[in-house]
Amino acid sequence: MPPARRTDPDLLRRLLRAKDRMDAASHEAWPVRRLAQVSGTSEAHFARSFKDAFGLPPHRYLLTRRIERATAFLRDTERSVTEIAMETGWSSLGTFGRIFHDIVGESPGAYRARVQQEAHELTRVPHCFVSAAHRPGLTIAVSEKRRRASAP
Amino acid sequence: MSQGVAVVGLYVRDQEEALRFYVDLLGFRVHTDARNGDYRWLTVQHPEQPSFQLGLFAPQPPTMDEATAATVREIVAKGAMPPLVLMVDDCRAVYAQLRDRGVEFTQEPVSRYGSVDAGFRDPSGNGWKMIQGRSA
Protein backbone atom coordinates (compact mmCIF):
# COMPACT_ATOMS: atom_id res chain seq x y z
CA MET A 1 0.00 0.00 0.00
CA PRO A 2 1.44 3.41 -0.88
CA PRO A 3 1.94 5.79 2.06
CA ALA A 4 -0.95 8.21 2.67
CA ARG A 5 -0.67 11.49 0.79
CA ARG A 6 0.30 14.21 3.20
CA THR A 7 -0.64 17.85 3.15
CA ASP A 8 1.47 20.38 4.98
CA PRO A 9 -0.42 21.20 8.21
CA ASP A 10 0.61 24.84 7.91
CA LEU A 11 -1.14 25.05 4.54
CA LEU A 12 -4.22 23.34 6.00
CA ARG A 13 -4.28 25.84 8.85
CA ARG A 14 -4.24 28.69 6.33
CA LEU A 15 -6.98 27.06 4.25
CA LEU A 16 -9.01 26.75 7.45
CA ARG A 17 -8.63 30.51 7.86
CA ALA A 18 -10.26 31.05 4.46
CA LYS A 19 -13.07 28.66 5.43
CA ASP A 20 -13.55 30.52 8.71
CA ARG A 21 -13.77 33.82 6.86
CA MET A 22 -16.49 32.44 4.58
CA ASP A 23 -18.31 31.12 7.64
CA ALA A 24 -18.15 34.52 9.31
CA ALA A 25 -19.43 36.44 6.26
CA SER A 26 -21.06 34.02 3.85
CA HIS A 27 -23.28 36.80 2.49
CA GLU A 28 -20.23 38.51 1.03
CA ALA A 29 -18.71 37.71 -2.34
CA TRP A 30 -15.76 35.32 -2.06
CA PRO A 31 -13.93 35.17 -5.36
CA VAL A 32 -10.98 32.79 -5.40
CA ARG A 33 -8.62 35.76 -5.49
CA ARG A 34 -9.87 36.95 -2.12
CA LEU A 35 -9.75 33.50 -0.55
CA ALA A 36 -6.28 32.83 -1.90
CA GLN A 37 -5.15 36.08 -0.34
CA VAL A 38 -6.50 35.04 3.07
CA SER A 39 -4.68 31.73 2.75
CA GLY A 40 -1.48 33.17 1.35
CA THR A 41 -1.55 30.89 -1.70
CA SER A 42 -1.81 31.37 -5.44
CA GLU A 43 -5.31 31.29 -6.92
CA ALA A 44 -4.63 28.11 -8.85
CA HIS A 45 -3.21 26.40 -5.81
CA PHE A 46 -6.00 27.57 -3.53
CA ALA A 47 -9.07 26.06 -5.24
CA ARG A 48 -7.42 22.71 -5.64
CA SER A 49 -5.93 22.58 -2.15
CA PHE A 50 -9.24 23.60 -0.60
CA LYS A 51 -11.10 20.83 -2.38
CA ASP A 52 -8.42 18.31 -1.43
CA ALA A 53 -8.62 19.39 2.21
CA PHE A 54 -12.35 19.80 2.71
CA GLY A 55 -13.83 17.63 -0.02
CA LEU A 56 -15.68 20.27 -1.99
CA PRO A 57 -14.77 23.34 -3.98
CA PRO A 58 -14.78 26.65 -2.09
CA HIS A 59 -17.71 28.07 -4.02
CA ARG A 60 -19.84 25.06 -3.28
CA TYR A 61 -18.90 25.27 0.38
CA LEU A 62 -20.05 28.88 0.37
CA LEU A 63 -23.44 27.87 -1.09
CA THR A 64 -24.06 25.39 1.73
CA ARG A 65 -23.28 28.05 4.31
CA ARG A 66 -25.63 30.55 2.69
CA ILE A 67 -28.44 28.01 2.54
CA GLU A 68 -27.73 26.99 6.12
CA ARG A 69 -28.13 30.60 7.25
CA ALA A 70 -31.26 30.96 5.16
CA THR A 71 -32.82 27.87 6.73
CA ALA A 72 -32.04 29.26 10.20
CA PHE A 73 -33.66 32.60 9.35
CA LEU A 74 -36.70 30.86 7.89
CA ARG A 75 -36.98 28.76 11.02
CA ASP A 76 -36.25 31.36 13.67
CA THR A 77 -37.48 34.68 12.26
CA GLU A 78 -40.54 36.11 10.59
CA ARG A 79 -38.57 37.91 7.90
CA SER A 80 -39.85 37.50 4.35
CA VAL A 81 -38.24 35.09 1.92
CA THR A 82 -37.08 38.05 -0.20
CA GLU A 83 -35.42 39.71 2.77
CA ILE A 84 -33.73 36.47 3.75
CA ALA A 85 -32.48 35.92 0.19
CA MET A 86 -30.88 39.37 0.12
CA GLU A 87 -29.45 38.99 3.62
CA THR A 88 -27.79 35.68 2.87
CA GLY A 89 -25.98 36.93 -0.20
CA TRP A 90 -28.18 36.21 -3.22
CA SER A 91 -28.67 38.95 -5.76
CA SER A 92 -31.66 37.23 -7.33
CA LEU A 93 -34.68 35.72 -5.63
CA GLY A 94 -35.01 33.23 -8.47
CA THR A 95 -31.50 31.88 -8.00
CA PHE A 96 -32.00 31.66 -4.25
CA GLY A 97 -35.25 29.70 -4.64
CA ARG A 98 -33.76 27.34 -7.19
CA ILE A 99 -30.57 26.56 -5.27
CA PHE A 100 -32.52 26.29 -2.02
CA HIS A 101 -34.87 23.75 -3.54
CA ASP A 102 -32.00 21.81 -5.06
CA ILE A 103 -30.18 21.54 -1.75
CA VAL A 104 -33.00 21.28 0.78
CA GLY A 105 -35.52 19.47 -1.38
CA GLU A 106 -38.41 21.88 -0.89
CA SER A 107 -39.10 25.55 -1.46
CA PRO A 108 -38.17 28.16 1.20
CA GLY A 109 -41.87 28.68 1.97
CA ALA A 110 -42.62 24.98 2.33
CA TYR A 111 -39.53 24.50 4.48
CA ARG A 112 -40.59 27.34 6.78
CA ALA A 113 -44.11 25.97 7.18
CA ARG A 114 -42.81 22.52 8.04
CA VAL A 115 -40.09 23.37 10.55
CA GLN A 116 -42.12 25.97 12.38
CA GLN A 117 -44.55 23.17 13.23
CA GLU A 118 -41.82 21.03 14.72
CA ALA A 119 -41.07 21.31 18.42
CA HIS A 120 -37.54 22.35 19.36
CA GLU A 121 -35.77 19.97 21.66
CA LEU A 122 -32.30 21.32 21.06
CA THR A 123 -32.41 24.40 23.24
CA ARG A 124 -29.76 23.07 25.61
CA VAL A 125 -27.17 22.56 22.88
CA PRO A 126 -25.06 25.66 22.05
CA HIS A 127 -26.48 27.34 18.98
CA CYS A 128 -23.49 26.97 16.71
CA PHE A 129 -23.47 23.18 17.08
CA VAL A 130 -27.19 22.90 16.37
CA SER A 131 -26.63 25.05 13.35
CA ALA A 132 -23.77 22.83 12.16
CA ALA A 133 -26.00 19.78 12.59
CA HIS A 134 -28.59 21.43 10.39
CA ARG A 135 -26.03 22.17 7.70
CA PRO A 136 -27.31 20.93 4.38
CA GLY A 137 -25.32 18.23 2.65
CA LEU A 138 -23.89 19.16 -0.70
CA THR A 139 -21.63 16.43 -1.90
CA ILE A 140 -22.61 16.68 -5.53
CA ALA A 141 -22.95 19.71 -7.72
CA VAL A 142 -26.32 21.40 -7.76
CA SER A 143 -26.50 21.02 -11.52
CA GLU A 144 -25.77 17.32 -11.10
CA LYS A 145 -28.65 16.98 -8.63
CA ARG A 146 -30.97 18.65 -11.12
CA ARG A 147 -29.81 16.37 -13.88
CA ARG A 148 -30.41 13.28 -11.76
CA ALA A 149 -33.82 14.48 -10.61
CA SER A 150 -34.94 15.04 -14.16
CA ALA A 151 -33.57 11.72 -15.41
CA PRO A 152 -36.25 9.17 -16.27
CA MET B 1 -13.37 17.43 45.29
CA SER B 2 -11.64 14.07 44.98
CA GLN B 3 -13.61 12.53 42.11
CA GLY B 4 -14.28 13.85 38.64
CA VAL B 5 -12.61 14.76 35.36
CA ALA B 6 -9.13 16.10 36.10
CA VAL B 7 -7.44 16.50 32.70
CA VAL B 8 -8.72 16.87 29.17
CA GLY B 9 -6.12 17.40 26.50
CA LEU B 10 -5.87 19.23 23.20
CA TYR B 11 -3.50 18.36 20.42
CA VAL B 12 -1.37 21.32 19.43
CA ARG B 13 1.16 21.73 16.64
CA ASP B 14 3.78 23.32 18.87
CA GLN B 15 3.68 23.20 22.66
CA GLU B 16 5.76 26.34 23.14
CA GLU B 17 3.43 28.32 20.87
CA ALA B 18 0.38 26.84 22.63
CA LEU B 19 1.83 27.74 26.03
CA ARG B 20 2.26 31.37 24.97
CA PHE B 21 -1.27 31.43 23.58
CA TYR B 22 -3.06 29.94 26.56
CA VAL B 23 -0.97 31.64 29.25
CA ASP B 24 0.06 35.00 27.77
CA LEU B 25 -3.06 35.68 25.69
CA LEU B 26 -5.90 33.82 27.41
CA GLY B 27 -4.61 34.19 30.97
CA PHE B 28 -4.41 30.52 31.94
CA ARG B 29 -1.73 29.33 34.38
CA VAL B 30 0.76 26.52 33.95
CA HIS B 31 -0.14 23.56 36.15
CA THR B 32 2.47 21.00 35.11
CA ASP B 33 5.33 21.28 32.67
CA ALA B 34 7.42 18.11 32.83
CA ARG B 35 9.89 16.91 30.22
CA ASN B 36 11.46 13.59 29.53
CA GLY B 37 13.64 13.81 26.45
CA ASP B 38 11.44 15.01 23.57
CA TYR B 39 8.31 14.23 25.52
CA ARG B 40 6.61 17.07 27.38
CA TRP B 41 3.60 16.72 29.66
CA LEU B 42 2.15 20.21 29.68
CA THR B 43 -1.11 21.23 31.33
CA VAL B 44 -2.62 24.62 32.03
CA GLN B 45 -5.49 25.77 34.20
CA HIS B 46 -8.12 28.41 34.15
CA PRO B 47 -7.39 30.67 37.15
CA GLU B 48 -10.91 30.14 38.52
CA GLN B 49 -10.99 26.38 37.99
CA PRO B 50 -8.33 24.71 40.15
CA SER B 51 -9.72 21.19 39.85
CA PHE B 52 -9.42 21.01 36.07
CA GLN B 53 -6.36 20.90 33.82
CA LEU B 54 -6.30 21.49 30.10
CA GLY B 55 -3.54 19.44 28.51
CA LEU B 56 -1.55 20.88 25.60
CA PHE B 57 -0.13 17.80 23.98
CA ALA B 58 1.92 17.31 20.85
CA PRO B 59 0.96 14.39 18.62
CA GLN B 60 4.37 12.76 18.33
CA PRO B 61 6.38 9.66 19.09
CA PRO B 62 6.73 7.96 21.51
CA THR B 63 3.05 8.31 22.51
CA MET B 64 2.02 7.64 18.93
CA ASP B 65 3.77 6.52 15.80
CA GLU B 66 4.92 9.15 13.32
CA ALA B 67 2.38 8.16 10.63
CA THR B 68 -0.52 8.55 13.06
CA ALA B 69 0.94 11.79 14.42
CA ALA B 70 1.09 13.23 10.90
CA THR B 71 -2.59 12.41 10.39
CA VAL B 72 -3.52 14.01 13.70
CA ARG B 73 -1.58 17.16 12.83
CA GLU B 74 -3.61 17.42 9.61
CA ILE B 75 -6.92 16.96 11.44
CA VAL B 76 -6.02 19.60 14.01
CA ALA B 77 -4.98 22.06 11.29
CA LYS B 78 -8.31 21.52 9.51
CA GLY B 79 -10.17 22.54 12.66
CA ALA B 80 -11.80 19.14 13.01
CA MET B 81 -11.12 18.51 16.70
CA PRO B 82 -14.07 18.54 19.11
CA PRO B 83 -15.66 21.84 20.12
CA LEU B 84 -14.44 23.68 23.19
CA VAL B 85 -16.42 26.15 25.26
CA LEU B 86 -15.02 28.91 27.46
CA MET B 87 -17.52 30.56 29.79
CA VAL B 88 -16.98 34.25 30.55
CA ASP B 89 -18.85 36.90 32.53
CA ASP B 90 -18.72 39.55 29.80
CA CYS B 91 -18.26 38.23 26.28
CA ARG B 92 -17.92 41.61 24.57
CA ALA B 93 -15.34 42.91 27.03
CA VAL B 94 -13.23 39.75 26.86
CA TYR B 95 -13.56 39.73 23.07
CA ALA B 96 -12.19 43.28 22.83
CA GLN B 97 -9.33 42.46 25.17
CA LEU B 98 -8.32 39.21 23.44
CA ARG B 99 -8.69 40.66 19.96
CA ASP B 100 -6.32 43.46 20.90
CA ARG B 101 -3.84 40.87 22.14
CA GLY B 102 -3.93 39.21 18.73
CA VAL B 103 -6.30 36.28 19.25
CA GLU B 104 -7.74 35.08 15.93
CA PHE B 105 -11.51 35.44 16.23
CA THR B 106 -13.69 33.52 13.81
CA GLN B 107 -16.90 35.13 15.03
CA GLU B 108 -17.56 38.48 16.63
CA PRO B 109 -19.86 38.57 19.67
CA VAL B 110 -23.48 37.89 18.78
CA SER B 111 -26.46 38.27 21.12
CA ARG B 112 -28.80 35.34 20.86
CA TYR B 113 -30.86 33.04 23.01
CA GLY B 114 -30.47 35.26 26.04
CA SER B 115 -26.68 35.21 25.93
CA VAL B 116 -23.73 36.48 23.93
CA ASP B 117 -21.22 34.25 22.16
CA ALA B 118 -18.09 34.67 20.06
CA GLY B 119 -15.66 32.24 18.45
CA PHE B 120 -11.89 32.02 18.21
CA ARG B 121 -9.17 29.55 17.31
CA ASP B 122 -5.87 28.75 18.92
CA PRO B 123 -2.79 28.85 16.67
CA SER B 124 -3.08 25.12 15.97
CA GLY B 125 -6.67 25.37 14.75
CA ASN B 126 -8.62 24.22 17.81
CA GLY B 127 -11.91 26.09 17.83
CA TRP B 128 -13.35 27.71 20.93
CA LYS B 129 -16.77 29.14 21.54
CA MET B 130 -16.73 31.88 24.13
CA ILE B 131 -20.11 32.11 25.81
CA GLN B 132 -21.36 34.60 28.33
CA GLY B 133 -22.87 32.89 31.36
CA ARG B 134 -26.50 33.75 31.91
CA SER B 135 -26.74 35.97 34.95
CA ALA B 136 -28.79 34.35 37.68
Side-chain angles (χ1 to χ4, degrees):
Chain A
M1 207 174 77
R5 219 175 102 256
R6 295 287 172 209
T7 308
D8 175 16
D10 287 338
L11 171 63
L12 294 172
R13 182 66 182 86
R14 288 184 279 116
L15 294 171
L16 176 63
R17 195 160 289 137
K19 186 162 164 281
D20 282 341
R21 294 283 299 276
M22 283 193 277
D23 288 345
S26 63
H27 60 287
E28 293 181 9
W30 287 101
V32 169
R33 180 173 34 82
R34 188 179 177 198
L35 293 166
Q37 209 163 33
V38 170
S39 285
T41 67
S42 73
E43 291 180 40
H45 193 210
F46 177 81
R48 186 177 162 165
S49 308
F50 188 96
K51 182 170 188 297
D52 285 348
F54 300 114
L56 74 180
H59 180 66
R60 218 181 295 169
Y61 178 74
L62 182 65
L63 293 186
T64 68
R65 295 316 312 269
R66 287 182 176 179
I67 295 299
E68 176 192 334
R69 274 189 86 216
T71 58
F73 288 153
L74 288 164
R75 192 175 61 235
D76 303 333
T77 75
E78 296 301 323
R79 295 202 278 279
S80 74
V81 171
T82 307
E83 280 177 295
I84 290 172
M86 296 306 137
E87 243 177 306
T88 54
W90 309 87
S91 51
S92 134
L93 188 58
T95 308
F96 169 66
R98 186 163 50 75
I99 305 282
F100 189 97
H101 192 283
D102 285 336
I103 292 175
V104 180
E106 56 195 330
S107 72
Y111 172 83
R112 167 172 268 172
R114 181 170 61 77
V115 296
Q116 287 190 342
Q117 299 259 326
E118 292 170 2
H120 288 274
E121 291 177 2
L122 289 166
T123 50
R124 294 188 65 83
V125 181
H127 170 77
C128 49
F129 304 125
V130 175
S131 156
H134 283 150
R135 190 170 300 173
L138 189 58
T139 52
I140 57 174
V142 168
S143 55
E144 173 69 2
K145 277 191 178 175
R146 270 205 302 280
R147 195 183 62 74
R148 288 192 193 175
S150 63
Chain B
M1 191 188 73
S2 58
Q3 300 191 89
V5 178
V7 180
V8 173
L10 304 179
Y11 280 128
V12 297
R13 63 182 181 185
D14 179 304
Q15 287 176 298
E16 202 52 47
E17 175 189 60
L19 184 63
R20 286 197 302 272
F21 179 81
Y22 284 95
V23 173
D24 296 348
L25 300 192
L26 292 198
F28 285 52
R29 297 172 183 156
V30 175
H31 180 281
T32 305
D33 187 355
R35 294 169 193 257
N36 184 356
D38 285 341
Y39 183 73
R40 184 177 186 184
W41 173 269
L42 173 64
T43 69
V44 295
Q45 263 189 333
H46 189 279
E48 296 179 24
Q49 208 171 17
S51 70
F52 180 79
Q53 298 169 54
L54 183 69
L56 305 175
F57 303 130
Q60 64 178 45
T63 50
M64 70 177 69
D65 61 89
E66 181 50 41
T68 305
T71 302
V72 172
R73 284 193 283 269
E74 291 181 358
I75 293 170
V76 171
K78 291 205 282 182
M81 295 304 271
L84 301 157
V85 176
L86 181 69
M87 297 302 294
V88 294
D89 286 339
D90 185 339
C91 186
R92 290 177 198 284
V94 177
Y95 164 80
Q97 191 179 47
L98 296 184
R99 184 201 49 201
D100 291 349
R101 289 180 192 166
V103 172
E104 179 182 347
F105 274 87
T106 52
Q107 181 213 302
E108 293 178 7
V110 175
S111 296
R112 53 188 166 195
Y113 304 110
S115 180
V116 184
D117 66 84
F120 64 88
R121 286 196 192 280
D122 75 7
S124 302
N126 292 298
W128 284 88
K129 218 51 182 180
M130 186 166 80
I131 302 178
Q132 184 163 315
R134 289 179 171 82
S135 43

